[in-house]
Every structure is written in C-alpha cells, then in structure tokens.
Amino acid sequence: MKKVALGCTGLSINPLVFGTLPLGPLQAALSPEEGGRLIRYALERGVNLLDTAELYQTYPHIRAALAGFTGEVFIASKTHANTAQAARGHVERALTELGLERLDIVHLHGARVADPFVERPEVIEALLAMKEEGKIAHVGLSSHFVSAMVKSVQHPEIEVVHPLINRTGMGIIDGTQEEMAAAIAACAAAGKGVYAMKALAGGNLISTARESLRFVLGLTGVHGIALGMLSEAEIDGNLALFQEGRADETLWNTLEGRRRKLTIMEAFCKGCGACVPACTNNALAMVDGKAKVDDDTCILCGYCGAACPEFMIRVV
C-alpha cells in the first residue's frame, strides 16, 4: 500500500483520507454501528488517517471502528472554539469519546476565519499547551481562506494544514483555485503536512469525480485528500484510483451519476436565522421568514445543519 510522508510530522499516510462528516447526523445520519463498519472496512484495506471534528458528531462511529483493530491508524480532529477554555473542552471530549490518550492532529477549525493568528490566538495557544501535555501530537489549521494558508507558512507551530481546494475553486472564500494551489505548495515547501478537503466541492463535482480527484492529487504539495465515503464500493473505487490510478468504468459511471443536495424542511423552519451565519459559503438567506438555499453556491458541508435548533437541515 503506497504511503506518503505528511510533511515533517513523521506520519506516513495513505493519500486517501477517510472524511467522516457524511456518516454523522449532519448528512447521512448512519448509526455508529453502520458508520463504524464502513470505517473499519477502509482501515482493513490500508486507509490510516481518519478526519473528524467536534462539529461532525462522529466520534461514536470512529470508536466503533477502532474496537479490536490492531493496525496503524491516525486520528485528526478539529475545534471550532472561540476561546481557550472551549478548545480544551473539545479536545478533552474527543479523547474521552474516542477512548484515546492522544489525538494525532487537532486543527483550529477556521473555515470562515481569515486570520486565525489574529482572530483566535488563544485557541492556538491552548492547542500548543495540550501538545506539551501530550494530548495532541501535531497542531493544524483547517480553512477555506487562501490568506490563512499563506500566513500559516510563517508559523512553524502549525504542522499540518487542511485547505479547501478543487478544480473549479468553488468554496474558496478569498481567491482563486490557482491562488490556493500556490499557497498549498508554499505550505508543503515549509515542511507542513497537507491534506485537502472539498476536492469534489461537497458533491457538486461528482459528475466529474475522476477528473476532479486526479486534479487535486496532482497539485504540488498535496499529500492526501479527505473524502467522505458511504459505501464499500466508494472505498474500493477510491483506493484503486488513489493507489493505482485505476478507475473501473462501470463503477465510476455509477458513482458519478449520484446527486446530492441540501434539504431544508420548510414546514418546520421557525425562521430563527441561526443557519445563515453558520454557512461557510454565503449560500443561505432568509426569504419570507424561512431559510432558503442557493443550490448553485452551496458546497454541501452541512454546517448549517449543526446550527439549526430544530434539526431541520440535512445534506441528502
């Protein structure tokens, strides 16, 4: 199984990273048992980095997958906290729910934070303190901003970055695909591990999945891509593509024929507007007292669903 050095972290990863967001309640709402079975299937076939977050609510799925597993596996989580106290609480909860003593990577989850070093310095300091305590192995930064990636180059304490990048640049908040690609190359040249997110723009590029994945895999400095996977067929198809460059035509025609969308159950929407600021791509608005989504702008991350007090938003 081909592995890639994740920058200067000392970790060697399968370039196919299992993104666990779609397994949880923000998207497919699989049970921990079913989600855990899919993760375990991937682990047994050589995937060795799992990507999660406080927001995703998928720790039970990962714990189920790890039960009795003796192979190599690394866990990357994220905290969207605004304060040091909240960040510490997020990390402690992850350790408790996963049954671990240390997380391999914890990112500052700054999808909409243009300059985390100015806007959330106390969170970075808290993560570094927990690294000293042995609760975190490597501190990272997850962002949809080119500017955040560029600035991270000057901060050696950030060892791993998780940037948004895809063939069309959809979802990048402050620049183009070319500008993000240049920032990624600079991060890798500075010794940071880089694994990308939203290579399929949250599902918007599913119809050109092979082309889109190969594009991101071919970018200078990209060590891996986090992908959400909801079936054994997806796992097998992605492994063959990532490891061997091989894509079974029948399988990929099926995979590329799927369609996903954000669904808001309008009959139950109370018009509180909590989902609007949670959107990372300004795809939501209040219209006539109800939340409405612009399907052409939505990157299907599901973060709005986490903000909905009525749990009436889901990616399906």
Side-chain angles (χ1 to χ4, degrees):
M1 187 63 66
K2 178 181 72 178
K3 293 183 181 178
V4 178
L6 188 62
C8 294
T9 62
L11 306 180
S12 292
I13 65 165
N14 187 317
L16 177 60
V17 178
F18 200 121
T20 65
L21 168 61
L23 303 177
L26 301 185
Q27 296 199 13
L30 299 185
S31 69
E33 292 75 20
E34 178 63 13
R37 186 186 63 79
L38 285 173
I39 296 171
R40 181 63 165 263
Y41 183 88
L43 292 176
E44 290 174 345
R45 283 151 184 80
V47 171
N48 69 340
L49 176 56
L50 308 179
D51 178 81
T52 185
E54 168 76 13
L55 277 172
Y56 298 174
Q57 303 172 56
T58 56
Y59 295 147
H61 304 69
I62 294 173
R63 185 160 186 165
L66 297 181
F69 183 70
T70 58
E72 179 183 67
V73 58
F74 306 120
I75 309 294
S77 191
K78 314 179 193 74
T79 172
H80 60 286
N82 292 315
T83 67
Q85 181 179 6
R88 180 171 286 276
H90 289 172
V91 172
E92 296 283 4
R93 177 161 40 246
L95 292 171
T96 298
E97 293 193 13
L98 291 168
L100 300 174
E101 295 183 357
R102 185 180 73 170
L103 295 167
D104 298 287
I105 302 166
V106 177
H107 297 284
L108 185 155
H109 202 171
R112 293 189 63 81
V113 180
D115 190 340
F117 304 99
V118 171
E119 297 176 54
R120 295 189 185 172
E122 69 275 21
V123 173
I124 295 175
E125 288 302 317
L127 296 179
L128 292 171
M130 286 184 280
K131 179 182 176 182
E132 288 295 315
E133 295 164 15
K135 295 176 179 177
I136 298 171
H138 306 285
V139 174
L141 171 63
S142 170
S143 182
H144 298 188
F145 276 92
V146 174
S147 57
M149 291 296 114
V150 169
K151 193 160 186 181
S152 74
V153 173
Q154 306 304 319
H155 287 265
E157 67 273 22
I158 301 298
E159 299 175 82
V160 183
V161 292
H162 186 36
L164 186 156
I165 182 73
N166 55 63
R167 185 171 50 81
T168 65
M170 186 177 186
I172 299 172
I173 295 174
D174 63 338
T176 65
Q177 169 263 110
E178 292 83 4
E179 290 169 330
M180 184 64 91
I184 286 171
C187 285
K192 301 183 191 302
V194 181
Y195 70 99
M197 69 166 111
K198 300 292 186 286
L200 300 180
N204 286 285
L205 300 179
I206 279 178
S207 62
T208 58
R210 283 169 284 184
E211 177 187 359
S212 298
L213 291 172
R214 284 169 169 150
F215 172 83
V216 176
L217 283 171
L219 290 174
T220 299
V222 170
H223 304 130
I225 301 175
L227 281 180
M229 296 176 283
L230 292 172
S231 70
E232 291 92 338
E234 283 185 77
I235 294 167
D236 290 339
N238 284 318
L239 277 170
L241 184 69
F242 279 55
Q243 290 288 326
E244 306 166 33
R246 178 171 54 83
D248 178 84
E249 194 70 22
T250 301
L251 171 62
W252 280 93
N253 284 340
T254 299
L255 295 177
E256 291 178 342
R258 296 170 306 160
R259 294 292 178 269
R260 302 172 75 218
K261 64 178 295 183
L262 186 80
T263 297
I264 301 172
M265 289 175 267
E266 292 186 15
F268 301 98
C269 176
K270 295 184 176 180
C272 70
C275 57
V276 175
C279 178
T280 62
N281 214 42
N282 297 318
L284 288 173
M286 298 303 296
V287 178
D288 298 328
K290 299 285 187 178
K292 300 285 186 179
V293 60
D294 179 352
D295 290 326
D296 292 333
T297 305
C298 177
I299 59 171
L300 303 172
C301 64
Y303 293 167
C304 55
C308 176
E310 306 301 323
F311 307 102
M312 295 302 164
I313 304 176
R314 181 169 293 172
V315 176
V316 295

